[in-house]
Amino acid sequence: MDIYFGQFLISDNKELLNIETVKSFLARSYWANKRPEEIIEKSISNSYCIGIYRERSQVGFARIITDDATTYWLCDVFIDEDYRGHGLGKKLLETITNSDRFKNMMGILGTKDAHGLYEQYYFEKDNERFMRRMPDFIRNM
């Protein structure tokens, strides 16, 4: 999948991923700052990943764990601090939640501070930190 959004490319091509950029961001995050680099590398290897790129620089990332039938876990979502405010996070979530692959699965994620963003894509609070998005076919009943 390659989607162009202005000057940005959103792609699931793992060959484009800059693993060092991903590790650097996760090292600064509240949720993965204690995660060893080898674990980050293994998690990327074993997950569906989407990157956002400007020219050849990686500016965004999302990792998705799924059984490809009923459920996906959306995690490690980031937009580089220098590129926030350009709609990239929204476009990334729109790409994921509207994709044929994920739209009919339940989506789950954890966040401390981005509830408002995820609610725009039909994720609902399940408690203070976790959110859930019901499959389109259930929400549209």
Side-chain angles (χ1 to χ4, degrees):
M1 163 205 46
D2 286 348
I3 296 171
Y4 290 91
F5 181 64
Q7 60 188 341
F8 299 95
L9 168 65
I10 300 172
S11 178
D12 63 354
N13 182 348
K14 281 190 176 178
E15 292 179 13
L16 298 177
L17 291 174
N18 183 324
I19 304 301
E20 294 307 314
T21 297
V22 175
K23 290 190 295 190
S24 175
F25 183 84
L26 293 177
R28 298 187 315 269
S29 73
Y30 68 81
W31 66 89
N33 60 4
K34 292 181 175 49
R35 198 180 294 168
E37 288 189 3
E38 59 272 9
I39 298 297
I40 292 171
E41 292 171 10
K42 186 174 183 178
S43 71
I44 291 169
S45 177
N46 291 317
S47 300
Y48 178 77
C49 299
I50 299 175
I52 303 177
Y53 309 90
R54 181 171 183 253
E55 297 171 3
R56 294 183 182 243
S57 296
Q58 185 162 0
V59 300
F61 178 78
R63 190 166 66 83
I64 302 164
I65 305 162
T66 183
D67 64 5
D68 275 322
T70 62
T71 308
Y72 66 89
W73 175 266
L74 178 60
C75 53
D76 294 343
V77 177
F78 79 81
I79 303 298
D80 184 283
E81 294 90 342
D82 294 337
Y83 292 92
R84 293 180 185 166
H86 296 279
L88 294 173
K90 290 180 180 181
K91 187 63 177 178
L92 180 59
L93 289 171
E94 175 187 312
T95 299
I96 294 165
T97 59
N98 289 338
S99 72
D100 288 340
R101 184 171 184 176
F102 298 114
K103 70 181 180 184
N104 287 315
M105 287 190 238
M106 181 175 14
I108 302 169
L109 61 88
T111 185
K112 281 186 182 179
D113 56 6
H115 297 92
L117 171 63
Y118 293 111
E119 286 169 347
Q120 295 174 53
Y121 299 91
Y122 303 104
F123 284 90
E124 300 172 350
K125 282 186 180 181
D126 200 10
N127 65 32
E128 287 304 309
R129 184 161 177 182
F130 294 97
M131 297 183 79
R132 170 180 60 192
R133 180 184 190 273
M134 297 306 291
D136 280 2
F137 71 89
I138 291 176
R139 282 189 312 99
N140 294 328
M141 292 179 109

PDB file of all heavy atoms in Angstrom, residues 51-85:
ATOM      1  N   GLY A  51       4.657   3.199   7.730  1.00  0.00           N
ATOM      2  CA  GLY A  51       5.520   4.352   7.932  1.00  0.00           C
ATOM      3  C   GLY A  51       5.007   5.539   7.137  1.00  0.00           C
ATOM      4  O   GLY A  51       4.308   5.382   6.137  1.00  0.00           O
ATOM      5  N   ILE A  52       5.372   6.723   7.601  1.00  0.00           N
ATOM      6  CA  ILE A  52       5.096   7.956   6.866  1.00  0.00           C
ATOM      7  C   ILE A  52       6.447   8.582   6.553  1.00  0.00           C
ATOM      8  O   ILE A  52       7.312   8.690   7.439  1.00  0.00           O
ATOM      9  CB  ILE A  52       4.233   8.941   7.670  1.00  0.00           C
ATOM     10  CG1 ILE A  52       2.914   8.294   8.083  1.00  0.00           C
ATOM     11  CG2 ILE A  52       3.967  10.205   6.847  1.00  0.00           C
ATOM     12  CD1 ILE A  52       2.032   9.190   8.948  1.00  0.00           C
ATOM     13  N   TYR A  53       6.605   9.006   5.303  1.00  0.00           N
ATOM     14  CA  TYR A  53       7.892   9.496   4.841  1.00  0.00           C
ATOM     15  C   TYR A  53       7.740  10.827   4.118  1.00  0.00           C
ATOM     16  O   TYR A  53       6.767  11.033   3.381  1.00  0.00           O
ATOM     17  CB  TYR A  53       8.532   8.480   3.876  1.00  0.00           C
ATOM     18  CG  TYR A  53       8.553   7.097   4.464  1.00  0.00           C
ATOM     19  CD1 TYR A  53       7.483   6.218   4.256  1.00  0.00           C
ATOM     20  CD2 TYR A  53       9.606   6.686   5.269  1.00  0.00           C
ATOM     21  CE1 TYR A  53       7.476   4.956   4.832  1.00  0.00           C
ATOM     22  CE2 TYR A  53       9.603   5.423   5.847  1.00  0.00           C
ATOM     23  CZ  TYR A  53       8.535   4.566   5.618  1.00  0.00           C
ATOM     24  OH  TYR A  53       8.525   3.320   6.196  1.00  0.00           O
ATOM     25  N   ARG A  54       8.697  11.693   4.334  1.00  0.00           N
ATOM     26  CA  ARG A  54       8.840  12.921   3.553  1.00  0.00           C
ATOM     27  C   ARG A  54      10.175  12.783   2.856  1.00  0.00           C
ATOM     28  O   ARG A  54      11.213  12.739   3.526  1.00  0.00           O
ATOM     29  CB  ARG A  54       8.811  14.165   4.418  1.00  0.00           C
ATOM     30  CG  ARG A  54       8.939  15.430   3.589  1.00  0.00           C
ATOM     31  CD  ARG A  54       8.695  16.665   4.432  1.00  0.00           C
ATOM     32  NE  ARG A  54       8.763  17.829   3.566  1.00  0.00           N
ATOM     33  CZ  ARG A  54       9.774  18.688   3.557  1.00  0.00           C
ATOM     34  NH1 ARG A  54      10.775  18.523   4.389  1.00  0.00           N
ATOM     35  NH2 ARG A  54       9.756  19.713   2.744  1.00  0.00           N
ATOM     36  N   GLU A  55      10.126  12.702   1.536  1.00  0.00           N
ATOM     37  CA  GLU A  55      11.305  12.361   0.751  1.00  0.00           C
ATOM     38  C   GLU A  55      11.790  11.016   1.273  1.00  0.00           C
ATOM     39  O   GLU A  55      11.059  10.059   1.252  1.00  0.00           O
ATOM     40  CB  GLU A  55      12.325  13.491   0.771  1.00  0.00           C
ATOM     41  CG  GLU A  55      11.776  14.754   0.131  1.00  0.00           C
ATOM     42  CD  GLU A  55      12.669  15.960   0.308  1.00  0.00           C
ATOM     43  OE1 GLU A  55      13.776  15.845   0.881  1.00  0.00           O
ATOM     44  OE2 GLU A  55      12.236  17.030  -0.164  1.00  0.00           O
ATOM     45  N   ARG A  56      12.972  10.921   1.795  1.00  0.00           N
ATOM     46  CA  ARG A  56      13.459   9.619   2.292  1.00  0.00           C
ATOM     47  C   ARG A  56      13.501   9.550   3.815  1.00  0.00           C
ATOM     48  O   ARG A  56      13.952   8.563   4.384  1.00  0.00           O
ATOM     49  CB  ARG A  56      14.832   9.318   1.709  1.00  0.00           C
ATOM     50  CG  ARG A  56      14.762   9.113   0.219  1.00  0.00           C
ATOM     51  CD  ARG A  56      16.114   8.751  -0.334  1.00  0.00           C
ATOM     52  NE  ARG A  56      16.016   8.620  -1.770  1.00  0.00           N
ATOM     53  CZ  ARG A  56      16.224   7.508  -2.433  1.00  0.00           C
ATOM     54  NH1 ARG A  56      16.561   6.419  -1.786  1.00  0.00           N
ATOM     55  NH2 ARG A  56      16.116   7.471  -3.730  1.00  0.00           N
ATOM     56  N   SER A  57      13.020  10.587   4.470  1.00  0.00           N
ATOM     57  CA  SER A  57      13.055  10.634   5.932  1.00  0.00           C
ATOM     58  C   SER A  57      11.755  10.107   6.516  1.00  0.00           C
ATOM     59  O   SER A  57      10.668  10.509   6.092  1.00  0.00           O
ATOM     60  CB  SER A  57      13.261  12.075   6.408  1.00  0.00           C
ATOM     61  OG  SER A  57      14.505  12.559   5.991  1.00  0.00           O
ATOM     62  N   GLN A  58      11.864   9.244   7.506  1.00  0.00           N
ATOM     63  CA  GLN A  58      10.691   8.722   8.183  1.00  0.00           C
ATOM     64  C   GLN A  58      10.216   9.738   9.206  1.00  0.00           C
ATOM     65  O   GLN A  58      10.976  10.181  10.066  1.00  0.00           O
ATOM     66  CB  GLN A  58      10.991   7.389   8.861  1.00  0.00           C
ATOM     67  CG  GLN A  58       9.742   6.790   9.473  1.00  0.00           C
ATOM     68  CD  GLN A  58       9.865   5.325   9.756  1.00  0.00           C
ATOM     69  OE1 GLN A  58      10.885   4.710   9.501  1.00  0.00           O
ATOM     70  NE2 GLN A  58       8.806   4.764  10.294  1.00  0.00           N
ATOM     71  N   VAL A  59       8.918  10.086   9.129  1.00  0.00           N
ATOM     72  CA  VAL A  59       8.358  11.084  10.036  1.00  0.00           C
ATOM     73  C   VAL A  59       7.179  10.539  10.842  1.00  0.00           C
ATOM     74  O   VAL A  59       6.648  11.240  11.698  1.00  0.00           O
ATOM     75  CB  VAL A  59       7.943  12.370   9.281  1.00  0.00           C
ATOM     76  CG1 VAL A  59       9.153  12.992   8.593  1.00  0.00           C
ATOM     77  CG2 VAL A  59       6.829  12.102   8.283  1.00  0.00           C
ATOM     78  N   GLY A  60       6.781   9.300  10.572  1.00  0.00           N
ATOM     79  CA  GLY A  60       5.672   8.706  11.310  1.00  0.00           C
ATOM     80  C   GLY A  60       5.734   7.198  11.255  1.00  0.00           C
ATOM     81  O   GLY A  60       6.442   6.613  10.422  1.00  0.00           O
ATOM     82  N   PHE A  61       4.957   6.570  12.147  1.00  0.00           N
ATOM     83  CA  PHE A  61       5.011   5.112  12.266  1.00  0.00           C
ATOM     84  C   PHE A  61       3.792   4.617  13.032  1.00  0.00           C
ATOM     85  O   PHE A  61       3.289   5.307  13.924  1.00  0.00           O
ATOM     86  CB  PHE A  61       6.281   4.704  13.030  1.00  0.00           C
ATOM     87  CG  PHE A  61       6.442   3.237  13.261  1.00  0.00           C
ATOM     88  CD1 PHE A  61       6.881   2.405  12.252  1.00  0.00           C
ATOM     89  CD2 PHE A  61       6.184   2.689  14.510  1.00  0.00           C
ATOM     90  CE1 PHE A  61       7.060   1.038  12.471  1.00  0.00           C
ATOM     91  CE2 PHE A  61       6.353   1.338  14.743  1.00  0.00           C
ATOM     92  CZ  PHE A  61       6.795   0.513  13.718  1.00  0.00           C
ATOM     93  N   ALA A  62       3.335   3.439  12.692  1.00  0.00           N
ATOM     94  CA  ALA A  62       2.339   2.711  13.486  1.00  0.00           C
ATOM     95  C   ALA A  62       2.620   1.227  13.321  1.00  0.00           C
ATOM     96  O   ALA A  62       3.001   0.766  12.239  1.00  0.00           O
ATOM     97  CB  ALA A  62       0.923   3.024  13.027  1.00  0.00           C
ATOM     98  N   ARG A  63       2.426   0.510  14.406  1.00  0.00           N
ATOM     99  CA  ARG A  63       2.612  -0.944  14.400  1.00  0.00           C
ATOM    100  C   ARG A  63       1.285  -1.580  14.757  1.00  0.00           C
ATOM    101  O   ARG A  63       0.585  -1.107  15.661  1.00  0.00           O
ATOM    102  CB  ARG A  63       3.695  -1.324  15.419  1.00  0.00           C
ATOM    103  CG  ARG A  63       4.141  -2.763  15.350  1.00  0.00           C
ATOM    104  CD  ARG A  63       5.431  -2.952  16.140  1.00  0.00           C
ATOM    105  NE  ARG A  63       5.237  -2.751  17.560  1.00  0.00           N
ATOM    106  CZ  ARG A  63       4.782  -3.685  18.410  1.00  0.00           C
ATOM    107  NH1 ARG A  63       4.455  -4.883  17.978  1.00  0.00           N
ATOM    108  NH2 ARG A  63       4.654  -3.409  19.687  1.00  0.00           N
ATOM    109  N   ILE A  64       0.938  -2.645  14.031  1.00  0.00           N
ATOM    110  CA  ILE A  64      -0.347  -3.297  14.237  1.00  0.00           C
ATOM    111  C   ILE A  64      -0.118  -4.801  14.405  1.00  0.00           C
ATOM    112  O   ILE A  64       0.545  -5.434  13.589  1.00  0.00           O
ATOM    113  CB  ILE A  64      -1.297  -3.041  13.053  1.00  0.00           C
ATOM    114  CG1 ILE A  64      -1.478  -1.528  12.870  1.00  0.00           C
ATOM    115  CG2 ILE A  64      -2.634  -3.738  13.261  1.00  0.00           C
ATOM    116  CD1 ILE A  64      -2.067  -1.129  11.551  1.00  0.00           C
ATOM    117  N   ILE A  65      -0.683  -5.335  15.477  1.00  0.00           N
ATOM    118  CA  ILE A  65      -0.637  -6.763  15.753  1.00  0.00           C
ATOM    119  C   ILE A  65      -2.049  -7.292  15.505  1.00  0.00           C
ATOM    120  O   ILE A  65      -3.016  -6.719  16.013  1.00  0.00           O
ATOM    121  CB  ILE A  65      -0.238  -7.022  17.221  1.00  0.00           C
ATOM    122  CG1 ILE A  65       1.082  -6.333  17.539  1.00  0.00           C
ATOM    123  CG2 ILE A  65      -0.177  -8.515  17.515  1.00  0.00           C
ATOM    124  CD1 ILE A  65       1.339  -6.157  19.009  1.00  0.00           C
ATOM    125  N   THR A  66      -2.171  -8.374  14.763  1.00  0.00           N
ATOM    126  CA  THR A  66      -3.504  -8.844  14.408  1.00  0.00           C
ATOM    127  C   THR A  66      -3.568 -10.348  14.174  1.00  0.00           C
ATOM    128  O   THR A  66      -2.560 -10.969  13.832  1.00  0.00           O
ATOM    129  CB  THR A  66      -4.010  -8.112  13.136  1.00  0.00           C
ATOM    130  OG1 THR A  66      -5.337  -8.521  12.849  1.00  0.00           O
ATOM    131  CG2 THR A  66      -3.113  -8.382  11.940  1.00  0.00           C
ATOM    132  N   ASP A  67      -4.777 -10.894  14.335  1.00  0.00           N
ATOM    133  CA  ASP A  67      -5.021 -12.269  13.926  1.00  0.00           C
ATOM    134  C   ASP A  67      -5.578 -12.305  12.499  1.00  0.00           C
ATOM    135  O   ASP A  67      -5.865 -13.353  11.967  1.00  0.00           O
ATOM    136  CB  ASP A  67      -5.958 -12.988  14.893  1.00  0.00           C
ATOM    137  CG  ASP A  67      -7.358 -12.391  14.958  1.00  0.00           C
ATOM    138  OD1 ASP A  67      -7.673 -11.452  14.184  1.00  0.00           O
ATOM    139  OD2 ASP A  67      -8.160 -12.862  15.791  1.00  0.00           O
ATOM    140  N   ASP A  68      -5.750 -11.122  11.903  1.00  0.00           N
ATOM    141  CA  ASP A  68      -6.280 -10.958  10.546  1.00  0.00           C
ATOM    142  C   ASP A  68      -7.694 -11.509  10.372  1.00  0.00           C
ATOM    143  O   ASP A  68      -8.109 -11.810   9.257  1.00  0.00           O
ATOM    144  CB  ASP A  68      -5.343 -11.560   9.491  1.00  0.00           C
ATOM    145  CG  ASP A  68      -4.268 -10.580   9.076  1.00  0.00           C
ATOM    146  OD1 ASP A  68      -4.556  -9.373   8.965  1.00  0.00           O
ATOM    147  OD2 ASP A  68      -3.121 -11.020   8.859  1.00  0.00           O
ATOM    148  N   ALA A  69      -8.429 -11.601  11.463  1.00  0.00           N
ATOM    149  CA  ALA A  69      -9.804 -12.066  11.366  1.00  0.00           C
ATOM    150  C   ALA A  69     -10.746 -11.257  12.254  1.00  0.00           C
ATOM    151  O   ALA A  69     -11.766 -10.771  11.789  1.00  0.00           O
ATOM    152  CB  ALA A  69      -9.897 -13.549  11.738  1.00  0.00           C
ATOM    153  N   THR A  70     -10.382 -11.119  13.528  1.00  0.00           N
ATOM    154  CA  THR A  70     -11.320 -10.503  14.466  1.00  0.00           C
ATOM    155  C   THR A  70     -10.794  -9.249  15.155  1.00  0.00           C
ATOM    156  O   THR A  70     -11.575  -8.361  15.483  1.00  0.00           O
ATOM    157  CB  THR A  70     -11.717 -11.498  15.571  1.00  0.00           C
ATOM    158  OG1 THR A  70     -10.545 -11.856  16.319  1.00  0.00           O
ATOM    159  CG2 THR A  70     -12.359 -12.746  14.989  1.00  0.00           C
ATOM    160  N   THR A  71      -9.485  -9.169  15.414  1.00  0.00           N
ATOM    161  CA  THR A  71      -8.966  -8.133  16.292  1.00  0.00           C
ATOM    162  C   THR A  71      -7.604  -7.632  15.825  1.00  0.00           C
ATOM    163  O   THR A  71      -6.796  -8.406  15.317  1.00  0.00           O
ATOM    164  CB  THR A  71      -8.800  -8.698  17.724  1.00  0.00           C
ATOM    165  OG1 THR A  71     -10.026  -9.295  18.138  1.00  0.00           O
ATOM    166  CG2 THR A  71      -8.411  -7.614  18.710  1.00  0.00           C
ATOM    167  N   TYR A  72      -7.393  -6.332  16.039  1.00  0.00           N
ATOM    168  CA  TYR A  72      -6.042  -5.792  15.877  1.00  0.00           C
ATOM    169  C   TYR A  72      -5.726  -4.894  17.061  1.00  0.00           C
ATOM    170  O   TYR A  72      -6.600  -4.307  17.664  1.00  0.00           O
ATOM    171  CB  TYR A  72      -5.865  -5.036  14.551  1.00  0.00           C
ATOM    172  CG  TYR A  72      -6.665  -3.762  14.400  1.00  0.00           C
ATOM    173  CD1 TYR A  72      -6.156  -2.531  14.814  1.00  0.00           C
ATOM    174  CD2 TYR A  72      -7.931  -3.781  13.811  1.00  0.00           C
ATOM    175  CE1 TYR A  72      -6.881  -1.355  14.647  1.00  0.00           C
ATOM    176  CE2 TYR A  72      -8.666  -2.617  13.638  1.00  0.00           C
ATOM    177  CZ  TYR A  72      -8.136  -1.410  14.059  1.00  0.00           C
ATOM    178  OH  TYR A  72      -8.863  -0.247  13.900  1.00  0.00           O
ATOM    179  N   TRP A  73      -4.442  -4.841  17.404  1.00  0.00           N
ATOM    180  CA  TRP A  73      -3.920  -3.987  18.458  1.00  0.00           C
ATOM    181  C   TRP A  73      -3.060  -2.932  17.777  1.00  0.00           C
ATOM    182  O   TRP A  73      -2.068  -3.255  17.117  1.00  0.00           O
ATOM    183  CB  TRP A  73      -3.081  -4.809  19.435  1.00  0.00           C
ATOM    184  CG  TRP A  73      -2.403  -3.992  20.489  1.00  0.00           C
ATOM    185  CD1 TRP A  73      -1.132  -3.499  20.435  1.00  0.00           C
ATOM    186  CD2 TRP A  73      -2.944  -3.569  21.733  1.00  0.00           C
ATOM    187  NE1 TRP A  73      -0.852  -2.790  21.586  1.00  0.00           N
ATOM    188  CE2 TRP A  73      -1.953  -2.816  22.403  1.00  0.00           C
ATOM    189  CE3 TRP A  73      -4.181  -3.751  22.364  1.00  0.00           C
ATOM    190  CZ2 TRP A  73      -2.148  -2.253  23.653  1.00  0.00           C
ATOM    191  CZ3 TRP A  73      -4.360  -3.191  23.610  1.00  0.00           C
ATOM    192  CH2 TRP A  73      -3.358  -2.453  24.241  1.00  0.00           C
ATOM    193  N   LEU A  74      -3.463  -1.675  17.906  1.00  0.00           N
ATOM    194  CA  LEU A  74      -2.736  -0.561  17.319  1.00  0.00           C
ATOM    195  C   LEU A  74      -1.765  -0.026  18.367  1.00  0.00           C
ATOM    196  O   LEU A  74      -2.178   0.311  19.479  1.00  0.00           O
ATOM    197  CB  LEU A  74      -3.723   0.526  16.890  1.00  0.00           C
ATOM    198  CG  LEU A  74      -3.154   1.807  16.302  1.00  0.00           C
ATOM    199  CD1 LEU A  74      -2.335   1.532  15.051  1.00  0.00           C
ATOM    200  CD2 LEU A  74      -4.289   2.777  16.010  1.00  0.00           C
ATOM    201  N   CYS A  75      -0.488   0.052  18.026  1.00  0.00           N
ATOM    202  CA  CYS A  75       0.494   0.463  19.024  1.00  0.00           C
ATOM    203  C   CYS A  75       1.671   1.188  18.373  1.00  0.00           C
ATOM    204  O   CYS A  75       1.807   1.205  17.153  1.00  0.00           O
ATOM    205  CB  CYS A  75       0.987  -0.745  19.817  1.00  0.00           C
ATOM    206  SG  CYS A  75       1.595  -2.113  18.818  1.00  0.00           S
ATOM    207  N   ASP A  76       2.486   1.768  19.221  1.00  0.00           N
ATOM    208  CA  ASP A  76       3.712   2.451  18.814  1.00  0.00           C
ATOM    209  C   ASP A  76       3.460   3.500  17.731  1.00  0.00           C
ATOM    210  O   ASP A  76       4.285   3.701  16.842  1.00  0.00           O
ATOM    211  CB  ASP A  76       4.777   1.444  18.359  1.00  0.00           C
ATOM    212  CG  ASP A  76       5.264   0.560  19.493  1.00  0.00           C
ATOM    213  OD1 ASP A  76       5.036   0.919  20.668  1.00  0.00           O
ATOM    214  OD2 ASP A  76       5.864  -0.489  19.221  1.00  0.00           O
ATOM    215  N   VAL A  77       2.355   4.192  17.838  1.00  0.00           N
ATOM    216  CA  VAL A  77       2.007   5.238  16.873  1.00  0.00           C
ATOM    217  C   VAL A  77       2.791   6.498  17.216  1.00  0.00           C
ATOM    218  O   VAL A  77       2.790   6.942  18.361  1.00  0.00           O
ATOM    219  CB  VAL A  77       0.492   5.534  16.910  1.00  0.00           C
ATOM    220  CG1 VAL A  77       0.140   6.674  15.960  1.00  0.00           C
ATOM    221  CG2 VAL A  77      -0.314   4.284  16.581  1.00  0.00           C
ATOM    222  N   PHE A  78       3.464   7.062  16.217  1.00  0.00           N
ATOM    223  CA  PHE A  78       4.117   8.343  16.439  1.00  0.00           C
ATOM    224  C   PHE A  78       4.184   9.166  15.169  1.00  0.00           C
ATOM    225  O   PHE A  78       4.197   8.640  14.072  1.00  0.00           O
ATOM    226  CB  PHE A  78       5.510   8.181  17.054  1.00  0.00           C
ATOM    227  CG  PHE A  78       6.609   7.788  16.091  1.00  0.00           C
ATOM    228  CD1 PHE A  78       7.231   8.739  15.277  1.00  0.00           C
ATOM    229  CD2 PHE A  78       7.052   6.486  16.017  1.00  0.00           C
ATOM    230  CE1 PHE A  78       8.248   8.385  14.418  1.00  0.00           C
ATOM    231  CE2 PHE A  78       8.070   6.127  15.160  1.00  0.00           C
ATOM    232  CZ  PHE A  78       8.670   7.081  14.354  1.00  0.00           C
ATOM    233  N   ILE A  79       4.193  10.458  15.364  1.00  0.00           N
ATOM    234  CA  ILE A  79       4.502  11.443  14.338  1.00  0.00           C
ATOM    235  C   ILE A  79       5.654  12.267  14.902  1.00  0.00           C
ATOM    236  O   ILE A  79       5.577  12.762  16.030  1.00  0.00           O
ATOM    237  CB  ILE A  79       3.298  12.359  14.006  1.00  0.00           C
ATOM    238  CG1 ILE A  79       2.073  11.549  13.570  1.00  0.00           C
ATOM    239  CG2 ILE A  79       3.682  13.406  12.951  1.00  0.00           C
ATOM    240  CD1 ILE A  79       2.241  10.724  12.313  1.00  0.00           C
ATOM    241  N   ASP A  80       6.723  12.418  14.133  1.00  0.00           N
ATOM    242  CA  ASP A  80       7.870  13.204  14.562  1.00  0.00           C
ATOM    243  C   ASP A  80       7.414  14.588  15.019  1.00  0.00           C
ATOM    244  O   ASP A  80       6.543  15.193  14.399  1.00  0.00           O
ATOM    245  CB  ASP A  80       8.858  13.320  13.395  1.00  0.00           C
ATOM    246  CG  ASP A  80      10.124  14.038  13.776  1.00  0.00           C
ATOM    247  OD1 ASP A  80      10.081  15.286  13.874  1.00  0.00           O
ATOM    248  OD2 ASP A  80      11.161  13.370  13.953  1.00  0.00           O
ATOM    249  N   GLU A  81       7.999  15.065  16.097  1.00  0.00           N
ATOM    250  CA  GLU A  81       7.601  16.352  16.681  1.00  0.00           C
ATOM    251  C   GLU A  81       7.623  17.487  15.656  1.00  0.00           C
ATOM    252  O   GLU A  81       6.769  18.374  15.691  1.00  0.00           O
ATOM    253  CB  GLU A  81       8.531  16.705  17.855  1.00  0.00           C
ATOM    254  CG  GLU A  81       8.416  15.783  19.047  1.00  0.00           C
ATOM    255  CD  GLU A  81       9.367  14.586  19.009  1.00  0.00           C
ATOM    256  OE1 GLU A  81       9.904  14.247  17.916  1.00  0.00           O
ATOM    257  OE2 GLU A  81       9.556  13.954  20.058  1.00  0.00           O
ATOM    258  N   ASP A  82       8.564  17.471  14.729  1.00  0.00           N
ATOM    259  CA  ASP A  82       8.681  18.535  13.723  1.00  0.00           C
ATOM    260  C   ASP A  82       7.576  18.493  12.666  1.00  0.00           C
ATOM    261  O   ASP A  82       7.433  19.441  11.895  1.00  0.00           O
ATOM    262  CB  ASP A  82      10.039  18.458  13.016  1.00  0.00           C
ATOM    263  CG  ASP A  82      11.203  18.769  13.948  1.00  0.00           C
ATOM    264  OD1 ASP A  82      10.983  19.445  14.981  1.00  0.00           O
ATOM    265  OD2 ASP A  82      12.334  18.344  13.638  1.00  0.00           O
ATOM    266  N   TYR A  83       6.823  17.404  12.621  1.00  0.00           N
ATOM    267  CA  TYR A  83       5.795  17.258  11.588  1.00  0.00           C
ATOM    268  C   TYR A  83       4.382  17.179  12.156  1.00  0.00           C
ATOM    269  O   TYR A  83       3.432  16.919  11.429  1.00  0.00           O
ATOM    270  CB  TYR A  83       6.103  16.024  10.722  1.00  0.00           C
ATOM    271  CG  TYR A  83       7.342  16.244   9.899  1.00  0.00           C
ATOM    272  CD1 TYR A  83       8.591  15.858  10.374  1.00  0.00           C
ATOM    273  CD2 TYR A  83       7.268  16.879   8.667  1.00  0.00           C
ATOM    274  CE1 TYR A  83       9.735  16.087   9.635  1.00  0.00           C
ATOM    275  CE2 TYR A  83       8.406  17.110   7.913  1.00  0.00           C
ATOM    276  CZ  TYR A  83       9.634  16.714   8.402  1.00  0.00           C
ATOM    277  OH  TYR A  83      10.755  16.948   7.659  1.00  0.00           O
ATOM    278  N   ARG A  84       4.246  17.392  13.430  1.00  0.00           N
ATOM    279  CA  ARG A  84       2.911  17.395  14.030  1.00  0.00           C
ATOM    280  C   ARG A  84       2.170  18.648  13.591  1.00  0.00           C
ATOM    281  O   ARG A  84       2.774  19.679  13.302  1.00  0.00           O
ATOM    282  CB  ARG A  84       3.016  17.312  15.551  1.00  0.00           C
ATOM    283  CG  ARG A  84       3.565  15.962  15.964  1.00  0.00           C
ATOM    284  CD  ARG A  84       3.695  15.804  17.446  1.00  0.00           C
ATOM    285  NE  ARG A  84       4.350  14.513  17.720  1.00  0.00           N
ATOM    286  CZ  ARG A  84       4.844  14.181  18.872  1.00  0.00           C
ATOM    287  NH1 ARG A  84       4.771  15.007  19.904  1.00  0.00           N
ATOM    288  NH2 ARG A  84       5.416  13.012  19.033  1.00  0.00           N
ATOM    289  N   GLY A  85       0.854  18.552  13.519  1.00  0.00           N
ATOM    290  CA  GLY A  85       0.044  19.691  13.116  1.00  0.00           C
ATOM    291  C   GLY A  85      -0.189  19.767  11.614  1.00  0.00           C
ATOM    292  O   GLY A  85      -0.767  20.729  11.122  1.00  0.00           O
TER     293      GLY A  85
END
